[in-house]
């Protein structure tokens, strides 16, 4: 059980480096001083005030959302700041076979040597006995065992660096250490290729969300989309830019009957045609002279790092970019996504990623543009550079939603005390669930409140006129 009142005390909304909730926290503390429990002071009023503030941003001319890995956590998504237990467990299951004695595949030892190189942690298993002992811990106590303290992106980078040091046609690389139970080991190019493929394919497999028992996380995505669609129809379509490989946005849109303009066109075979982003949908008028009506359930989706559903094919006249989108994994189980590697930035320069990033840049540098960053840890410099460019536009507003924003990027923004930079932090407002539930307004409710106020004023005015006569 968690104490919501305690979590609320840690909630923050910073605008220009100033905590906008300081008065709320002070009132809550003084009201309950000496009482063992911190009561919530006017919680509904606080939420209403925050939603009014946020509503003004939702109605800016160009509205964009950038989703990172943190937005998928409630659906079972993984974070790669360490080696996720889910990934290590699958690698151990595939890399160890037999019982008496158990045998360890060579590629699995390569994986642990790469982890060791990154973390320099004494707990990283590298000998046969240590790996077998680690398997027991992971499989029998996966909910309690601590993940290996090594950034998974760095681990994959080490593997790619080792591979680049070996000729493409094949060869070997000797790695030596000054101390430890293993003084040196030999890397075979073919086995190293297997290790890289196993690890990256396992990473893709962990992105098939929601995981069993995590279906409730999808409800947050559905509510997120419903609230976005309350934006006035006379404004540009809302943009969702996601760095995640999963299909949670697509699944939520399907169940809500929302049409996603995602750059792919077709029915039986969906082919990448970036010009489709310029399309829009309207209802026909009831008469030839009548006015058409804009479809109210349309959102534009951009998968900046690719998707589990993308598949590369041969380029042709009918498919100029050689890219299709299918339901589920591609036919060979190898999705077209940008894995976290040293060449990640280079890969974004090619199609279809170049088109996706071009449109991301164009969307947020427009006048009167707002970008909400949710669950993104600012670990991708090619994304950060575009945000920096947008911050040179005076009318741009940047909203960071993160339970514990501690990156150097956010630290530098806070130091600027720029009132165009908002930061929602803490579990109550800084998570994807907290943002959708408590921060993101339903603009239909706002319109309903406005109509009620206008009706009340009209009634009062009518009574005043009647009393005069």
């Amino acid at each position: 059980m968690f104490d919501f009142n305690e979590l609320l005390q840690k909630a923050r909304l910073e605008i220009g480096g100033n905590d906008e909730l300081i008065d709320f926290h002070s009132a809550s503390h003084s009201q309950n001083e000496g009482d063992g429990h911190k009561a919530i002071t006017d919680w509904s009023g606080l939420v209403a005030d925050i939603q009014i503030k946020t509503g003004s941003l939702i109605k800016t001319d160009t509205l964009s959302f950038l989703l990172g890995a943190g937005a998928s956590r409630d659906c079972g998504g993984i974070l790669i700041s360490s080696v996720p237990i889910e990934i290590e467990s699958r690698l151990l299951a595939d890399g160890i076979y037999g019982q008496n004695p158990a045998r360890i595949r060579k590629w699995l030892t390569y994986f642990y040597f790469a982890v060791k190189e990154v973390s320099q942690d004494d707990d990283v298993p590298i000998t046969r006995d240590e790996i077998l002992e680690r398997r027991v811990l992971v499989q029998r106590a996966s909910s309690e065992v601590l993940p290996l303290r090594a950034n998974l992106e760095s681990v994959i980078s080490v593997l790619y660096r080792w591979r680049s040091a070996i000729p493409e046609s094949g060869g070997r690389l000797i790695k030596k250490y000054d101390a430890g139970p293993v003084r040196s080991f030999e890397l075979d190019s073919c086995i190293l290729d297997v290790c890289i493929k196993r690890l990256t394919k396992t990473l893709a497999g962990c992105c098939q969300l929601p995981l069993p028992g995590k279906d409730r996380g999808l409800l947050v995505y559905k509510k997120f989309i419903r609230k976005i669609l309350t934006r006035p129809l006379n404004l540009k379509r809302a943009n969702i830019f996601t760095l995640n490989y999963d299909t949670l946005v697509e699944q939520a849109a399907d169940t809500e009957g929302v049409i996603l303009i995602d750059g792919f066109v077709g029915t039986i075979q969906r082919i990448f045609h970036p010009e489709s982003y310029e399309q829009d949908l309207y209802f026909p008028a009831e008469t030839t002279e009548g006015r058409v009506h804009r479809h109210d359930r349309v959102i534009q989706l951009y998968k900046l790092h690719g998707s589990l559903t993308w598949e590369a094919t041969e380029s042709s006249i009918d498919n100029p970019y050689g890219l299709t989108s299918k339901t589920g994994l591609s036919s060979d189980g190898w999705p077209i996504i940008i894995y976290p590697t040293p060449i990640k930035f280079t890969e974004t320069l090619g199609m279809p990623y170049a088109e996706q990033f071009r449109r991301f840049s164009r969307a947020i540098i427009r006048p009167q543009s707002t970008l909400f960053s949710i669950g993104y840890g600012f670990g991708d410099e090619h994304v950060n550079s575009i945000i920096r460019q947008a911050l040179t536009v005076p009318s741009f507003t940047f909203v960071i939603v993160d339970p514990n924003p501690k990156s150097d990027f956010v630290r530098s923004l806070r130091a600027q005390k720029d009132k165009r930079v908002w930061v929602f932090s803490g579990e109550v407002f800084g998570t994807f669930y907290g943002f959708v539930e408590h921060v993101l307004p339903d603009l239909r409710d706002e319109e309903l409140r406005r109509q009620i106020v206008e009706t009340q004023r009209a009634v009062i005015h009518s009574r005043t006129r009647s009393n005069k006569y």
Side-chain angles (χ1 to χ4, degrees), residues 14 16-17 405 409-418 423 425:
E14 300 172 43
F409 187 88
V410 177
R411 190 178 299 113
S412 65
L413 290 181
R414 280 172 160 163
Q416 298 296 321
K417 297 190 179 299
D418 189 335
V423 181
S425 59

Side-chain angles (χ1 to χ4, degrees), residues 349-380:
L349 301 179
M351 290 294 283
Y353 307 110
E355 179 67 20
Q356 305 270 332
F357 276 91
R358 184 180 72 83
R359 291 181 179 273
F360 175 52
S361 176
R362 192 173 73 173
I364 67 176
I365 65 173
R366 285 173 175 160
Q368 302 299 321
S369 175
T370 297
L371 174 65
F372 287 85
S373 167
I374 308 172
Y376 170 52
F378 300 95
D380 294 320

Side-chain angles (χ1 to χ4, degrees), residues 37 51 70 74-75 86 146-147 185 211 245 278 292 304 306 311 320 326 372 420 456 458:
H37 304 281
Q51 291 188 354
D74 287 343
C75 292
E86 300 91 335
L146 295 176
F185 69 96
L211 296 179
Y245 314 137
E278 307 299 335
V292 296
L304 295 177
E311 183 178 41
K326 299 184 177 181
F372 287 85
R420 298 173 304 150
Q456 290 175 337

Side-chain angles (χ1 to χ4, degrees), residues 7-55:
L7 291 178
L8 186 57
Q9 289 297 316
K10 299 177 181 178
R12 295 289 182 270
L13 165 56
E14 300 172 43
I15 300 179
N18 297 319
D19 184 7
E20 297 294 307
L21 306 185
I22 189 169
D23 292 338
F24 171 82
H25 292 314
S26 298
S28 177
H29 179 73
S30 60
Q31 177 181 331
N32 299 281
E33 191 172 7
D35 188 348
H37 304 281
K38 298 178 181 178
I40 300 175
T41 303
D42 194 17
W43 163 246
S44 60
L46 174 65
V47 170
D49 183 56
I50 288 177
Q51 291 188 354
I52 289 172
K53 283 184 170 68
T54 308

Side-chain angles (χ1 to χ4, degrees), residues 41-238:
T41 303
D42 194 17
W43 163 246
S44 60
L46 174 65
V47 170
D49 183 56
I50 288 177
Q51 291 188 354
I52 289 172
K53 283 184 170 68
T54 308
S56 64
L57 301 180
I58 299 299
K59 290 180 284 189
T60 51
D61 193 41
T62 303
L63 174 66
S64 302
F65 296 88
L66 175 65
L67 304 183
S72 301
R73 288 294 291 162
D74 287 343
C75 292
I78 59 175
L79 301 177
I80 61 174
S81 57
S82 59
V83 178
I85 292 296
E86 300 91 335
I87 286 183
E88 187 182 5
S89 177
R90 296 186 188 193
L91 293 176
L92 285 166
D94 292 338
I96 299 177
Y97 64 101
Q99 293 183 353
N100 294 312
R103 298 184 179 182
I104 301 175
R105 301 187 189 278
K106 199 75 173 179
W107 62 261
L108 183 61
T109 63
Y110 287 8
F111 163 72
Y112 280 113
F113 273 117
V115 174
K116 179 71 173 178
E117 178 123 335
V118 171
S119 69
Q120 301 299 319
D121 192 334
D122 294 336
D123 294 333
V124 177
I126 53 176
T127 66
R128 179 181 183 279
D129 291 342
E130 289 173 345
I131 293 175
L132 293 176
E133 183 179 346
R134 179 70 180 178
R135 180 182 65 165
V136 173
L137 290 174
V138 169
Q139 293 182 345
R140 292 185 181 178
S142 58
S143 61
E144 300 176 3
V145 65
L146 295 176
L148 298 174
R149 292 179 295 177
N151 185 288
L152 185 62
E153 179 171 338
S154 300
V155 173
I156 299 178
S157 295
V158 165
L159 292 170
Y160 271 92
R161 189 170 71 244
W162 287 347
R163 185 62 184 91
S164 65
I166 305 176
E168 189 67 31
S169 58
R172 298 176 183 276
L173 175 69
I174 304 296
K175 287 289 297 179
K176 295 184 178 181
Y177 295 96
D178 295 332
V182 177
R183 295 300 182 92
S184 66
F185 69 96
E186 185 179 77
L187 291 165
D188 179 271
S189 61
C190 295
I191 298 175
L192 190 54
D193 287 337
V194 173
C195 180
I196 292 172
K197 188 168 184 176
R198 288 276 188 175
L199 179 53
T200 53
K201 194 170 183 178
T202 300
L203 174 59
C206 287
C207 294
Q208 297 185 63
L209 306 176
L211 296 179
K214 298 286 186 177
D215 294 332
R216 293 188 63 181
L218 188 59
L219 299 178
V220 182
Y221 273 85
K222 293 167 63 176
K223 193 169 187 177
F224 171 61
I225 287 177
R226 287 198 300 269
K227 286 191 172 184
I228 293 176
L229 291 175
T230 63
R231 175 176 157 88
L233 286 175
N234 63 318
L235 300 174
K236 295 183 179 70
R237 299 293 190 186

Side-chain angles (χ1 to χ4, degrees), residues 274-348:
E275 68 274 11
S276 65
Y277 280 120
E278 307 299 335
Q279 298 174 356
D280 209 336
L281 298 175
Y282 293 82
F283 286 115
E286 294 183 0
T287 64
T288 55
E289 295 83 11
R291 188 177 66 177
V292 296
H293 302 280
R294 199 179 190 199
H295 199 297
D296 61 347
R297 286 183 290 177
V298 178
I299 293 176
Q300 292 191 319
L301 174 65
Y302 303 83
K303 306 292 284 281
L304 295 177
H305 281 176
S307 176
L308 293 176
T309 61
W310 292 7
E311 183 178 41
T313 60
E314 285 292 328
S315 300
S316 64
I317 295 177
D318 297 327
N319 189 354
Y321 300 108
L323 185 64
T324 61
S325 179
K326 299 184 177 181
T327 56
L329 282 173
S330 57
S331 58
D332 61 353
W334 198 254
I336 308 303
I337 58 183
I338 300 180
Y339 292 102
T341 72
I343 59 174
K344 182 166 62 173
F345 178 76
T346 305
E347 290 189 20
T348 62

